[in-house]
Amino acid sequence: MTTEEQVLERIARARGRKARLKDERVTLAHGAGGRATANLVEALFLDAFRNPALEALGDGALLDLGSQRLAVTTDSFVVSPLFFPGGSIGDLAVNGTVNDLAACGSRPLALTAGFVLEEGLPIADLERIVRDMAAAAERAGVPVVTGDTKVVERGKGDGCFVNTTGIGLVRPGVSLSIAGARPGDQVLVSGPIGDHGTTVMVARGELDLAADVRSDTAALGSMVEGLLDATAAVRALRDPTRGGLATVLNEIAVASSVSVLLDERTIPVRPGVAGCCELLGIDPLYVACEGRMVVVVGPEGCEAALGALRAHPLGREAAVVGEISPDPPGLVLLKTAFGGSRIVDMMVGDPLPRIC
Amino acid sequence: MTTEEQVLERIARARGRKARLKDERVTLAHGAGGRATANLVEALFLDAFRNPALEALGDGALLDLGSQRLAVTTDSFVVSPLFFPGGSIGDLAVNGTVNDLAACGSRPLALTAGFVLEEGLPIADLERIVRDMAAAAERAGVPVVTGDTKVVERGKGDGCFVNTTGIGLVRPGVSLSIAGARPGDQVLVSGPIGDHGTTVMVARGELDLAADVRSDTAALGSMVEGLLDATAAVRALRDPTRGGLATVLNEIAVASSVSVLLDERTIPVRPGVAGCCELLGIDPLYVACEGRMVVVVGPEGCEAALGALRAHPLGREAAVVGEISPDPPGLVLLKTAFGGSRIVDMMVGDPLPRIC
């Protein structure tokens, strides 16, 4: 196909495609957050559970209680190893869910914690994970109100899996949606991308790679509060975890029927992360962050948004990285540092399994 | 120790014990719902996450939103095999969480679903599980509003683990607590005990046992609605899952500082279940149900409660099985069919691993 044909085919898919599952067995790619995950969700889960809250496909669901709106989000964490520079599965499990609540424009009310433990896990490891969760919850200002523990036989699990579900109260008047991006809107990230995914890959020790990298895992609730206080022009928030910045922007492009034009030179990537990614042959655009937020904001609010992000300790390196354009809808395009331009597609396969 | 000493020691433990974890590694018993689970929860989770909602140790936490009260509950399901007579992990994951919401006196508003899949799981199995969840949610009248899917490598999981978290609206005026049992209250179960756990054990096929048993998995929301409509005298509800009726009654005895006097002859057990348990050397009192409710009700409401349960298709075999007594506090005593009496302790170890 010519590039033009590819673009047209992509648009057709983005607009009207009916997802089909061709696989006969679950593969790692189904959990990677890229195209295979999207297909699984659309072909299987959406079809079975069809309801308006689920179909919005945000980072969480919104429940209208009359006088108040609740945000609800759930995430299972299977990161390997359980501990890595900058954090642990315990930090991730709290911060990841708190950030999904923040991306819905909500303040966290309560978290739940569900553990699936493998027989033989050292109690000291579990204790460390639980302490990390408690400390992260304390920092985020949210109580863990209920929990559950199951144990599976040795060889039927991998140490510790944690599910957290978060309930938040949506700020009055705030309505964020990945379908809300409009031409002219600016795209910001709150800091350098790819730190978390790179750190976990290096921590696994399989790559004979030493690098000065550290997970960015952090709870972004107070940063997002400051952002939403600073401007009413925020259209969409999303934390770029599995699948990275590229996947989040593709989801926004498709949901809003717009294109996202990125400028490679403005995307913050730490030298250590860039170096590791080059050695591994991985594009940092697809590498997970666990303490960053992608912000789509109307042009009138861009400066205020950038100022608010940079005023927060977790957003000091925030940057404008792109712009929303009307055409071609459903596509993310990257202007490279060399002056060229390429399509940034959704992630295919799973270059970085079990990073969260 | 004499029996009297045992009783006194037990009371001392129930009243003032400080849980300690002596184990160095996680064992299957930590997930069995008996004493080891209770120790883990008290020594590790309660200590780290200390907050009033968690300390109530109900089937779920209550959140006060001013005009409304929310119930929140979470459960991970790791049952093996994934499919068994009468249901699947999909049914369990929905019904178990719906029943925990019902035990809080709440109507379900929304469920979340978090999957941890093992690479290689047949997509057809996942599809069947998801369809079962959707059908169970439909029957229970609750939408699945958001979800998450992770995949782990072959050998690092066991087909499919499912976490469900449920959010419910507590009925106005209803206040149920396992600490609310008072001397003179009656103890009811909504049907025969042990069906689910026995069925899963037989379905595993390791025991060379064939028996006509079937899981009782069912959503009890509408049955509980009828019960709470019929009488305001209900003090506590709890579904006897892991650890069975014995464990639930021990929790009530300790939380309320009362004793529970059971009459073995009145406890409904199906012949197939009784037969299997005898062959396996397991006491049906410790075997999980997934569609039964334990009800503690003031004597003035006992007849109405029994009538309401029996009027519902899922409660036709409801029975009064015991009574709350002031002494000895923290103990469950069983009057056996032979006229003797014995202490029914909390479950120790895990005779039935991974039944939910």
Side-chain angles (χ1 to χ4, degrees):
Chain A
M1 282 196 284
T2 63
T3 309
E4 204 181 333
E5 280 173 330
Q6 284 177 334
V7 169
L8 290 173
E9 196 252 334
R10 176 68 201 279
I11 295 167
R13 261 192 293 137
R15 284 188 168 153
R17 80 186 142 108
K18 163 88 182 128
R20 273 172 308 160
L21 272 177
K22 289 175 214 143
D23 312 276
E24 287 194 358
R25 292 188 175 268
V26 169
T27 66
L28 288 173
H30 287 120
R35 173 159 300 148
T37 306
N39 270 342
L40 188 73
V41 169
E42 288 179 38
L44 222 151
F45 298 124
L46 276 190
D47 195 49
F49 295 129
R50 207 156 278 291
N51 64 68
L54 187 62
E55 277 160 42
L57 281 183
D59 261 353
L62 295 188
L63 299 181
D64 202 328
L65 290 189
S67 56
Q68 295 170 104
R69 285 177 302 159
L70 290 182
V72 185
T73 180
T74 193
D75 245 319
S76 294
F77 294 84
V78 299
V79 65
S80 169
L82 297 172
F83 306 98
F84 43 81
S88 73
I89 191 171
D91 297 292
L92 278 194
V94 169
N95 294 337
T97 293
V98 165
N99 291 348
D100 285 346
L101 289 178
C104 298
S106 75
R107 296 187 185 102
L109 265 181
L111 292 184
T112 67
F115 295 88
V116 176
L117 307 177
E118 185 190 11
E119 185 187 11
L121 175 74
I123 291 280
D125 284 0
L126 180 60
E127 201 154 5
R128 195 173 151 198
I129 291 164
V130 169
R131 298 268 159 218
D132 284 351
M133 288 184 75
E138 173 97 31
R139 277 194 299 275
V142 58
V144 176
V145 295
T146 190
D148 176 58
T149 311
K150 294 292 188 322
V151 180
V152 296
E153 303 90 333
R154 218 178 275 264
K156 301 290 186 187
D158 195 16
C160 176
F161 302 146
V162 186
N163 174 282
T164 50
T165 300
I167 301 169
L169 266 183
V170 183
R171 280 169 68 115
V174 166
S175 176
L176 304 172
S177 165
I178 59 164
R182 303 175 213 167
D185 288 355
Q186 301 295 299
V187 180
L188 286 66
V189 291
S190 66
I193 62 169
D195 295 18
H196 174 72
T198 307
T199 302
V200 171
M201 283 306 285
V202 172
R204 253 175 233 164
E206 294 160 1
L207 302 165
D208 206 19
L209 203 67
D212 185 24
V213 288
R214 210 181 144 74
S215 171
D216 56 317
T217 180
L220 301 174
S222 65
M223 187 188 78
V224 168
E225 290 276 314
L227 172 70
L228 297 176
D229 285 344
T231 169
V234 176
R235 320 260 200 233
L237 294 176
R238 193 105 177 200
D239 57 331
T241 56
R242 280 182 298 176
L245 181 63
T247 300
V248 163
L249 294 180
N250 266 279
E251 288 170 355
I252 291 171
V254 169
S256 299
S257 276
V258 295
S259 74
V260 180
L261 308 179
L262 289 176
D263 185 343
E264 189 172 34
R265 291 165 309 177
T266 61
I267 300 172
V269 184
R270 293 193 201 288
V273 170
C276 286
C277 285
E278 209 175 310
L279 281 168
L280 297 169
I282 292 173
D283 186 337
L285 284 172
Y286 294 94
V287 181
C289 312
E290 289 287 344
R292 304 294 175 224
M293 196 60 80
V294 175
V295 182
V296 179
V297 59
E300 73 280 14
C302 182
E303 212 178 296
L306 192 63
L309 292 176
R310 287 187 174 162
H312 193 278
L314 294 169
R316 268 199 285 261
E317 295 168 81
V320 178
V321 297
E323 188 175 314
I324 304 295
S325 167
D327 290 305
L331 271 194
V332 179
L333 295 166
L334 180 78
K335 207 173 105 192
T336 67
F338 310 108
S341 173
R342 65 174 172 92
I343 295 175
V344 177
D345 209 340
M346 277 189 87
M347 190 168 70
V348 177
D350 191 0
L352 298 170
R354 297 183 58 191
I355 42 83
C356 66
Chain B
M1 283 194 285
T2 63
T3 309
E4 203 179 332
E5 280 172 331
Q6 283 177 334
V7 169
L8 289 173
E9 195 251 337
R10 176 67 200 278
I11 293 167
R13 263 192 291 136
R15 283 189 168 152
R17 79 184 140 111
K18 162 90 181 127
R20 272 173 308 158
L21 272 178
K22 290 176 213 141
D23 312 276
E24 288 194 0
R25 293 188 175 268
V26 169
T27 66
L28 287 173
H30 287 121
R35 172 160 300 149
T37 306
N39 270 342
L40 188 73
V41 169
E42 287 178 40
L44 221 152
F45 298 124
L46 276 191
D47 196 48
F49 295 129
R50 207 157 279 292
N51 64 67
L54 188 63
E55 276 159 43
L57 282 182
D59 262 352
L62 295 188
L63 299 181
D64 202 327
L65 290 190
S67 57
Q68 294 169 104
R69 285 179 301 160
L70 289 183
V72 184
T73 180
T74 193
D75 245 319
S76 294
F77 295 84
V78 299
V79 65
S80 170
L82 297 172
F83 306 98
F84 43 80
S88 73
I89 192 171
D91 298 292
L92 279 194
V94 169
N95 293 338
T97 293
V98 165
N99 291 347
D100 285 346
L101 289 178
C104 297
S106 75
R107 296 188 184 102
L109 265 181
L111 293 184
T112 67
F115 296 87
V116 176
L117 308 177
E118 186 191 11
E119 185 187 13
L121 174 74
I123 292 280
D125 285 359
L126 179 59
E127 201 153 6
R128 194 172 152 199
I129 291 163
V130 170
R131 297 269 159 217
D132 284 351
M133 288 184 76
E138 172 98 31
R139 277 194 300 274
V142 58
V144 176
V145 295
T146 189
D148 176 57
T149 311
K150 293 293 187 321
V151 180
V152 295
E153 304 90 334
R154 218 180 275 264
K156 301 290 186 187
D158 196 16
C160 176
F161 302 146
V162 186
N163 174 281
T164 50
T165 300
I167 301 168
L169 266 184
V170 183
R171 279 169 69 115
V174 166
S175 176
L176 303 172
S177 165
I178 59 164
R182 304 177 212 168
D185 288 354
Q186 301 294 299
V187 179
L188 286 66
V189 290
S190 67
I193 61 169
D195 294 20
H196 175 73
T198 308
T199 302
V200 171
M201 283 305 286
V202 173
R204 254 176 232 164
E206 295 161 1
L207 301 166
D208 205 19
L209 203 69
D212 185 23
V213 288
R214 210 180 144 75
S215 170
D216 55 317
T217 180
L220 301 174
S222 65
M223 186 188 79
V224 168
E225 290 276 313
L227 172 70
L228 297 176
D229 285 344
T231 169
V234 176
R235 319 260 201 234
L237 293 176
R238 193 105 177 199
D239 56 332
T241 57
R242 279 183 298 176
L245 181 63
T247 300
V248 164
L249 294 179
N250 267 280
E251 288 170 354
I252 291 171
V254 169
S256 300
S257 277
V258 295
S259 74
V260 180
L261 309 179
L262 288 176
D263 185 343
E264 188 171 34
R265 291 165 309 178
T266 61
I267 300 171
V269 183
R270 294 193 199 287
V273 170
C276 287
C277 285
E278 209 175 311
L279 282 169
L280 296 169
I282 292 173
D283 186 336
L285 283 173
Y286 294 94
V287 180
C289 313
E290 289 287 343
R292 305 292 175 227
M293 196 60 80
V294 175
V295 182
V296 179
V297 59
E300 72 280 15
C302 183
E303 211 178 299
L306 192 63
L309 292 176
R310 288 186 175 163
H312 193 278
L314 294 169
R316 268 199 285 260
E317 296 167 80
V320 179
V321 297
E323 189 174 313
I324 304 294
S325 167
D327 289 306
L331 271 193
V332 179
L333 295 165
L334 180 78
K335 208 174 105 191
T336 66
F338 310 108
S341 172
R342 65 174 172 93
I343 294 174
V344 178
D345 209 338
M346 275 190 87
M347 190 167 71
V348 177
D350 190 0
L352 298 170
R354 297 183 59 190
I355 43 82
C356 66

